[in-house]
Amino acid sequence: MCTKWILFSFSFIMSFCGMILLGLGVYLATTASSYEVWFGGKTLSISYTLIFMGVSMTIVGFIGCCGATNESTPLLLAFFICLFLLLLLQTGLAITIFVFQEEIENQITTSAQEKFALYGEPNSLTTATEPIDFVQQELECCGLSKGPLDWSDKRYYRYATYWIKTRSSDVPDSCCEKLNVYINCGKGNAVKDPAEGTVYTQGCQAALIDFFKGNVNWLGGLTIGLVVVQLVGLCGAFYLRRFLLQTPISY
């Protein structure tokens, strides 16, 4: 029967996608600490959601494979119910991602301002200095909103309040372009024309928001795609189960 093998193929692909999501969730959970301080706990929440979705899809896909190959109406019913619940979860996740996008962007802005104020303070190494150094190198940015100038005392709004007490003409070495990183490579770059320096010029606030939006759009698009595909699986499971129930031969 054509429907049987289509449903089996769909279930197998679903399990495979589930394992991919599981791996992605585990990877995100292991690297979340680097971004966690910026997103207010949202990174780990997303990683755990991906892990749950990955495990659920793998198990549900396995049930679908068994139900299709054995032509078992109870397994097909279980597959249909589990897939429907998973569909509702993913729909809710997609809606939540887009609804709370602005809230998380505001969290990034507030968190960034707090951390720049504490950068360089001995007691804020893990909560401010290291996260900022990581982001400036990974996202190739410097400063908060105006680039290297944010590290100087030349601005009316002085975000890096602790840093400018002693090094108001310098930027952290993490601002230096990756091919030009060395000890004190940021010396004098806070007041230098950006075109003449070898430091990044984009502010980290915009870079973080762009990073977040890119990942949110990707995750939201993936979720919507999974919802559409799983609708096909629901229809296939319903049709095959109804066919088996109407067939006079006992399975």
Side-chain angles (χ1 to χ4, degrees), residues 4-5 7-9 62-72 75-76 240 251:
K4 167 182 174 178
W5 296 112
L7 183 59
F8 174 83
S9 300
F62 178 75
I63 294 173
C65 287
C66 293
T69 53
N70 296 322
E71 298 184 1
S72 168
L75 283 177
L76 287 172
L240 180 58
Y251 290 89

Side-chain angles (χ1 to χ4, degrees), residues 116-134:
F116 271 86
L118 298 173
Y119 185 89
E121 191 177 71
N123 295 329
S124 302
L125 181 64
T126 58
T127 57
T129 305
E130 289 180 351
I132 289 176
D133 284 339
F134 174 82

Side-chain angles (χ1 to χ4, degrees), residues 5 12 32 41 43 50 55 71 84 91 100 133 139 150 166 187:
W5 296 112
F12 180 80
T43 312
L50 287 176
V55 171
E71 298 184 1
F84 180 73
T91 303
F100 287 98
D133 284 339
L139 302 186
D150 286 326
T166 56
K187 189 173 182 61

Side-chain angles (χ1 to χ4, degrees), residues 37-217:
V37 292
W38 300 98
F39 299 119
K42 302 297 189 301
T43 312
L44 277 176
S45 299
I46 293 174
S47 64
Y48 292 151
T49 301
L50 287 176
I51 291 172
F52 176 77
M53 284 175 56
V55 171
S56 301
M57 287 178 62
T58 302
I59 295 173
V60 172
F62 178 75
I63 294 173
C65 287
C66 293
T69 53
N70 296 322
E71 298 184 1
S72 168
T73 54
L75 283 177
L76 287 172
L77 178 60
F79 174 71
F80 181 88
I81 294 172
C82 291
L83 190 58
F84 180 73
L85 294 175
L86 192 59
L87 193 66
L88 291 179
L89 172 67
Q90 290 171 345
T91 303
L93 176 63
I95 294 172
T96 302
I97 287 172
F98 289 112
V99 167
F100 287 98
Q101 184 168 335
E102 184 176 350
E103 178 186 329
I104 298 177
E105 289 178 15
N106 292 334
Q107 166 68 35
I108 292 172
T109 300
T110 302
S111 179
Q113 292 175 354
E114 293 173 351
K115 284 167 180 52
F116 271 86
L118 298 173
Y119 185 89
E121 191 177 71
N123 295 329
S124 302
L125 181 64
T126 58
T127 57
T129 305
E130 289 180 351
I132 289 176
D133 284 339
F134 174 82
V135 164
Q136 289 189 148
Q137 276 294 293
E138 288 298 310
L139 302 186
E140 300 183 351
C141 59
C142 182
L144 187 62
S145 59
K146 296 296 183 181
L149 192 60
D150 286 326
W151 293 107
S152 73
D153 60 356
K154 304 297 183 182
R155 292 200 62 203
Y156 177 74
Y157 295 104
R158 299 175 180 177
Y159 296 112
T161 51
Y162 184 85
W163 175 266
I164 63 177
K165 290 178 182 179
T166 56
R167 303 186 62 178
S168 61
S169 62
D170 305 336
V171 299
D173 291 345
S174 56
C175 275
C176 298
E177 296 175 355
K178 290 181 179 178
L179 296 178
N180 295 288
V181 177
Y182 54 88
I183 297 176
N184 291 328
C185 61
K187 189 173 182 61
N189 278 296
V191 293
K192 186 183 295 184
D193 184 345
E196 299 175 2
T198 55
V199 297
Y200 298 119
T201 57
Q202 182 188 20
C204 289
Q205 180 177 318
L208 277 164
I209 291 176
D210 289 344
F211 172 81
F212 168 72
K213 282 183 175 180
N215 283 277
V216 161
N217 291 337

